[in-house]
Amino acid sequence: MSVQTIPVTLEVNGHNHSLHLDPRTTLLDALREHLGMTGTKVGCNHGTCGACTVHIDGHARLACLTLAAAATGHSILTIEGLAAADGTPHPMQAAFVAYDALQCGYCTPGQIMSAIACVAEGHTRTDDEIRDYMSGNLCRCAAYPNIVAAVRHVAGAV
Amino acid sequence: MDGSIGVPVVRRDGAAKTSGTALYAADFPHADTAYAALTTSTVTRGRIIRIDTTEAEAVPGVQMVLTHHSLNETLGEETFVMKGGHMQSSFMPLTSDEVHYAGQIVALVVADTQEAAEEASRKVSVDYAAQHASASIEDADRVEEPMDDKSIDVGDAEAAFDRAPVKVDATYLTPAQHHNPIELYGATAVWQDGKLLVNAPSQWVVGNQAGLAAIFGLPMDDIRVESPYLGGGFGAKATILPHTVLVAMAARRLGRPVKLVVPRETGFTVSSFRPATRSRVRLAAEQDGTIVAVMHDEAAQSAVIDHVAFPATGVTARMYASPNIRMRESTIATDVNTPGFQRAPAEAPGFFGFESAVDELAVALGMDPIELRIKNEPVCDPVKGLPWSSRSLVPCFRRGAELFGWNRRTPEVGSMTTPDGMLLGWGCASATYPSAMCPSSARVKLSADGTCVVSCAAHDLGTGAYTVLGQVAADVLGVPDELVRVHLGDSTLPSGPVAGGSVTTGSAGSAVHMAALAVRERLLKAAAGGGDPASFTLAGGHVIGPDSHGRPVAEVLASVTGGMIEETADWKPGSMSGDQMRMGLAGGMAFAGPTTETHASYSFGAQFAEVRVDPLLRTVRVSRMVGVFACGRIINPRTARSNLMGGMIWGASFALLEETKVDRPRARFANTDLAGYHFSTNADIGEVVVETVDEVDTVVNAIGAKAVGEIGIVGMPAAIANAIYHATGVRVRKTPILVEDLLG
């Protein structure tokens, strides 16, 4: 017997993808396992680590707690969609490299997606505000002070 | 851009990691992949008396359910890493009906989709005959087993302690902890033409390759372990985890790639963890602060299925110049998955107690804790009398005190406050980490297009190896950073060491250095033609002849057959035998040092913490940390700083947050997810200042690099506990230090 699926259309980084998915499939697994977009990472699958952070309609959201079917009709942005058309990295990607705001790099895509939202939503008036906002994204290598520096830099440049 | 040794070169893998293109183990695409999920034991000790997979097999999409009945296959000889093998444990799940710990794998389900595999894994029905079990070293029925071969006796410490006027005798506890790298455990196995490819996050691709070859009865060349990036390891991903073997078996039977991503909760029991410890520390001194006796008795958690120990006392014994030292080690076996290496396995728990006790001694003496440490600085190794290859602990303390502003500290408890009424505490502690080394191979290729390619089956856990190892070659060959390429984390590359024991830079770096020197020698020879190569030098991308005439390196290389020069070197630590080297290069555990016949080699550091304690609520914030370290030659100050900083934050996490709680009546870990197991978030961490002192070590290895990766954590827990004492007058002798420990 094969798995029962439903049709799901996802708009990811400006492109529409039509898929047939087990209705229980999360947005995270749809991206990683069905679309081959593995830049979004899995760290806990229950909303505690932030590694799977993507933007849905411009807001930072956890892809592991979002069913793919529920993301239909919404605009999804992932780490793969940040660079400019000519390949120039997004300023936040560049700042993470410049401030060494990563070590193993596994939480980094999620950190960057949250960091962009942090700046866009204006939670950057103080370092403590940045620390608070960014605390939904765990970094076990503990690049935290460098992450704060990268966010502060981008916020200052905006 | 100059990419040589000492330059803060930007992380070579930064672009791949920030763009989402870096491939971690679970990111490799393999066509027609089937998905695996695990069923784990709900009892701690006993036997499986019935296992029914009917309902699981009926889930649409399920392809296979492996249990101890259906596995039914004899594996090749392999064993626990500390018995000379490569496995995380001696015990292999699904090879019998035995249950040795809660959360042990009892079935592996494979299905067409992740969702079907997970559903089916919950429908495997198991009945157990459970027996009494114990998962805590504090349980009354547990027995301490001494490890006599780890005892250290210098002079007569007991007698000196009895006679001394000032003494400290206290016992300190640290709990079980879990690594919890953000990347989940997992493995993908692909068989093709009888050969196995494994994508699993690995700190030891060659060791994994050797172990899997033994298990499957294949030559090493038929196994490839590929792990170019891993999402944090911290010691957890060095050995072969049992599920990797099961996934490979499932893939072979199914004739399809099989991928397993282990859920966070299950990760607490299918891998290793940092065992709990209990340290009794006794220190004695004359009134002037001269230490006359050092005694440290450590008892650490082990497993019933495997005897494991990471003795700290062999390291704490190296800290102070006492004529009398007595160290004892013991283990306490519990019904748990086999404990393993976790960042500074011996030192992090051991130094919490030891360096807290040194602070207690300073208080008892009415002496400044830095002055006490400096007064007792040993000129040579206090145990064997050997000279240090380098030891700059005192300069670390002097510089750290300056950076921290230690001279503004008033020693009386509770004497410092912040303008908003918080109690301010300032504490410090010493840190050290042994500079051991492993044999390593490396290949360096210099091509006419100007590129330099470095290849080694070593690993970058985020520690900076991709950047640092390239710098070593660039330094020898004068290649600009943008033309350096580094390949790591693949067992098809020349053999590299386990990324453990902080050995990578010193070991793989020495191999890269050796290979690069060989390339340079051939380059100069080619330039010299029939002349004397010794009269040629390499500078600024040119080979300079005796007539001071420079020829571009590319031009020289164009005249060489193939247009490139490639050399592979096998490097071993000076004190290691050739046999040991060959064993290590073939995937065995081969360590030399930190103590050889002539020298003792350790990195050292001075660590400082500022805490702010709410006088009413007793909440603790670490507002400032300062660490100054002496780790020999720093190849890349930028990545070294991040590595040391990460270690210090681990230390803060150790002090205030981390504990795998044990449900003692049910004999299992209780808080097995990231909602229950806490480690530092961004908001927990204030200012972190990291510096290194210049240190030249001509003994430790060819490039003078000592251990960096683990020392950052070592002194931090005690520094924070000592700061909390300074703020509150409460001496907490266990971690994590919680609000309730500071009440009353």
Side-chain angles (χ1 to χ4, degrees):
Chain A
M1 211 166 28
S2 64
V3 175
Q4 296 297 305
T5 60
I6 57 168
V8 174
T9 300
L10 295 175
E11 188 214 312
V12 185
N13 303 331
H15 300 283
N16 279 316
H17 302 270
S18 293
L19 298 167
H20 292 273
L21 301 174
D22 184 312
R24 298 168 294 188
T25 306
T26 62
L27 175 59
L28 174 61
D29 284 339
L31 290 169
R32 291 181 52 80
E33 306 300 335
H34 297 270
L35 294 175
M37 300 176 72
T38 53
T40 305
K41 302 302 183 198
V42 50
C44 70
N45 254 326
H46 56 230
T48 54
C49 77
C52 67
T53 306
V54 296
H55 289 185
I56 301 178
D57 298 334
H59 300 288
R61 294 285 180 263
L62 298 175
C64 78
L65 294 186
T66 306
L67 286 172
T72 301
H74 298 276
S75 172
I76 299 153
L77 179 68
T78 72
I79 190 78
E80 290 96 340
L82 290 182
D86 67 353
T88 305
H90 184 283
M92 192 63 79
Q93 291 173 303
F96 266 62
V97 175
Y99 287 88
D100 208 33
L102 63 134
Q103 291 183 42
C104 82
Y106 195 81
C107 72
T108 306
Q111 298 277 1
I112 289 172
M113 298 312 288
S114 286
I116 291 170
C118 179
V119 174
E121 292 173 21
H123 305 291
T124 55
R125 283 171 300 180
T126 64
D127 283 359
D128 277 346
E129 214 176 66
I130 297 172
R131 289 187 184 107
D132 260 358
Y133 187 93
M134 293 301 295
S135 283
N137 290 79
L138 299 175
C139 174
R140 187 53 155 160
C141 301
Y144 297 131
N146 295 358
I147 292 170
V148 173
V151 176
R152 190 199 302 130
H153 171 83
V154 174
V158 169
Chain B
M1 186 193 142
D2 180 14
S4 55
I5 288 177
V7 176
V9 169
V10 171
R11 200 174 284 274
R12 208 176 297 287
D13 42 352
K17 287 174 172 176
T18 52
S19 61
T21 55
L23 291 183
Y24 297 78
D27 300 342
F28 282 85
H30 295 291
D32 197 31
T33 295
Y35 294 83
L38 302 171
T39 306
T40 56
S41 66
T42 55
V43 303
T44 299
R45 203 160 76 88
R47 286 185 183 281
I48 299 166
I49 53 174
R50 186 191 65 91
I51 186 159
D52 184 352
T53 59
T54 317
E55 214 187 322
E57 281 161 4
V59 172
V62 167
Q63 297 292 334
M64 176 190 290
V65 182
L66 281 183
T67 68
H68 67 282
H69 292 305
S70 58
L71 187 81
N72 194 26
E73 183 177 331
T74 307
L75 302 173
E77 281 288 312
E78 242 303 329
T79 188
F80 179 39
V81 67
M82 294 179 101
K83 292 183 189 163
H86 305 86
M87 297 296 297
Q88 178 262 333
S89 171
S90 310
F91 176 70
M92 183 68 206
L94 305 197
T95 55
S96 77
D97 61 356
E98 297 164 25
V99 177
H100 291 287
Y101 49 91
Q104 172 190 313
I105 299 169
V106 296
L108 177 127
V109 178
V110 184
D112 292 333
T113 65
Q114 180 71 47
E115 294 74 26
E118 284 178 29
E119 179 187 348
S121 71
R122 293 183 174 88
K123 290 182 170 171
V124 175
S125 167
V126 192
D127 291 335
Y128 303 91
Q131 296 165 347
H132 170 76
S134 172
S136 167
I137 62 171
E138 302 304 325
D139 286 347
D141 65 341
R142 296 295 104 180
V143 186
E144 264 189 52
E145 298 166 63
M147 297 170 68
D148 293 335
D149 63 327
K150 300 294 178 197
S151 296
I152 295 172
D153 285 287
V154 179
D156 186 346
E158 296 272 12
F161 184 84
D162 287 344
R163 280 196 306 269
V166 184
K167 44 193 131 187
V168 167
D169 178 353
T171 298
Y172 306 84
L173 305 175
T174 65
Q177 299 176 349
H178 277 74
H179 311 74
N180 278 310
I182 301 297
E183 179 192 28
L184 297 167
Y185 301 111
T188 303
V190 185
W191 289 88
Q192 196 166 18
D193 306 326
K195 297 182 181 185
L196 173 63
L197 165 68
V198 170
N199 287 131
S202 179
Q203 297 173 238
W204 194 22
V205 289
V206 180
N208 277 237
Q209 177 195 25
L212 290 168
I215 288 167
F216 289 104
L218 292 168
M220 270 179 78
D221 284 349
D222 287 358
I223 309 272
R224 178 181 183 188
V225 179
E226 188 187 22
S227 174
Y229 297 101
L230 67 162
F234 314 113
K237 294 170 178 170
T239 53
I240 303 173
L241 300 176
H243 58 251
T244 301
V245 177
L246 299 177
V247 166
M249 296 178 98
R252 190 169 59 175
R253 288 189 189 190
L254 206 57
R256 272 172 82 177
V258 173
K259 172 171 172 173
L260 170 71
V261 175
V262 177
R264 177 62 60 185
E265 309 88 299
T266 313
F268 279 71
T269 54
V270 302
S271 73
S272 66
F273 70 99
R274 189 198 293 285
T277 72
R278 182 167 62 222
S279 278
R280 181 186 182 195
V281 184
R282 283 173 287 172
L283 302 175
E286 303 292 357
Q287 293 289 3
D288 69 352
T290 305
I291 294 177
V292 294
V294 171
M295 293 190 273
H296 186 172
D297 294 64
E298 184 185 42
Q301 179 178 22
S302 180
V304 170
I305 47 173
D306 277 310
H307 183 259
V308 192
F310 308 103
T313 59
V315 189
T316 54
R318 262 73 196 190
M319 293 313 290
Y320 300 108
S322 172
N324 304 292
I325 300 171
R326 176 194 167 282
M327 302 303 205
R328 294 292 182 271
E329 288 286 342
S330 64
T331 56
I332 302 168
T334 54
D335 297 302
V336 291
N337 41 310
T338 304
F341 323 100
Q342 185 170 330
R343 201 173 196 177
E347 299 76 9
F351 271 63
F352 165 66
F354 191 77
E355 284 293 308
S356 292
V358 173
D359 196 70
E360 296 203 44
L361 183 65
V363 171
L365 287 160
M367 199 169 168
D368 179 85
I370 296 179
E371 291 314 311
L372 173 64
R373 288 177 171 93
I374 290 174
K375 185 178 181 65
N376 291 284
E377 173 70 1
V379 291
C380 61
D381 169 17
V383 178
K384 295 195 169 171
L386 291 167
W388 307 105
S389 70
S390 53
R391 175 167 170 140
S392 308
L393 180 59
V394 173
C396 288
F397 265 111
R398 300 249 189 256
R399 178 62 182 148
E402 197 175 285
L403 284 169
F404 191 78
W406 187 259
N407 62 1
R408 297 196 305 276
R409 179 181 187 262
T410 53
E412 295 74 28
V413 161
S415 62
M416 297 173 73
T417 54
T418 65
D420 61 349
M422 296 289 130
L423 294 165
L424 202 59
W426 287 7
C428 67
S430 300
T432 191
Y433 196 85
S435 288
M437 273 164 293
C438 299
S440 178
S441 302
R443 185 168 62 227
V444 174
K445 181 168 114 175
L446 190 64
S447 300
D449 64 2
T451 57
C452 172
V453 181
V454 175
S455 304
C456 176
H459 319 77
D460 188 333
L461 293 76
T463 46
Y466 273 113
T467 316
V468 162
L469 295 178
Q471 285 179 259
V472 174
D475 194 71
V476 174
L477 297 169
V479 179
D481 182 57
E482 55 273 18
L483 294 177
V484 176
R485 315 269 181 272
V486 181
H487 301 296
L488 306 174
D490 186 335
S491 64
T492 59
L493 302 172
S495 182
V498 61
S502 300
V503 304
T504 296
T505 301
S507 308
S510 292
V512 170
H513 186 253
M514 194 172 166
L517 286 177
V519 169
R520 186 170 72 175
E521 195 182 315
R522 276 183 56 195
L523 180 71
L524 298 184
K525 213 169 156 185
D532 177 16
S535 59
F536 285 74
T537 55
L538 186 59
H542 289 71
V543 181
I544 318 287
D547 56 356
S548 299
H549 174 69
R551 278 173 73 198
V553 168
E555 189 188 307
V556 179
L557 284 170
S559 68
V560 175
T561 316
M564 59 92 178
I565 295 175
E566 181 178 274
E567 285 288 336
T568 303
D570 295 335
W571 180 86
K572 71 174 181 66
S575 61
M576 184 176 276
S577 71
D579 282 349
Q580 272 270 309
M581 176 184 81
R582 282 182 283 281
M583 184 274 283
L585 294 181
M589 271 280 182
F591 277 84
T595 304
T596 66
E597 281 177 14
T598 58
H599 288 84
S601 288
Y602 292 78
S603 289
F604 291 93
Q607 301 190 270
F608 298 77
E610 174 183 278
V611 299
R612 291 166 189 238
V613 183
D614 187 302
L616 289 173
L617 300 174
R618 311 302 265 182
T619 49
V620 179
R621 307 280 300 170
V622 179
S623 43
R624 218 153 51 92
M625 293 189 271
V626 171
V628 179
F629 302 92
C631 306
R633 194 175 186 190
I634 299 298
I635 310 298
N636 183 328
R638 182 184 168 88
T639 53
R641 175 184 173 273
S642 288
N643 203 352
L644 292 163
M645 180 181 77
M648 288 170 66
I649 295 172
W650 266 62
S653 208
F654 190 121
L656 298 178
L657 296 167
E658 293 198 40
E659 175 178 19
T660 309
K661 292 182 192 303
V662 179
D663 177 344
R664 287 169 65 180
R666 296 169 70 240
R668 68 194 59 205
F669 300 131
N671 51 336
T672 55
D673 60 41
L674 298 182
Y677 185 96
H678 295 168
F679 55 82
S680 295
T681 68
N682 206 323
D684 292 311
I685 301 304
E687 187 188 358
V688 186
V689 177
V690 183
E691 268 195 19
T692 53
V693 299
D694 290 332
E695 193 177 51
V696 177
D697 191 323
T698 55
V699 173
V700 64
N701 52 46
I703 57 174
K706 294 196 292 182
V708 170
E710 292 165 86
I711 189 172
I713 183 176
V714 175
M716 221 57 240
I720 290 170
N722 298 341
I724 289 172
Y725 172 80
H726 180 231
T728 64
V730 183
R731 181 64 69 177
V732 182
R733 300 191 180 90
K734 60 87 158 163
T735 65
I737 299 172
L738 304 172
V739 168
E740 53 262 43
D741 298 314
L742 301 174
L743 296 172

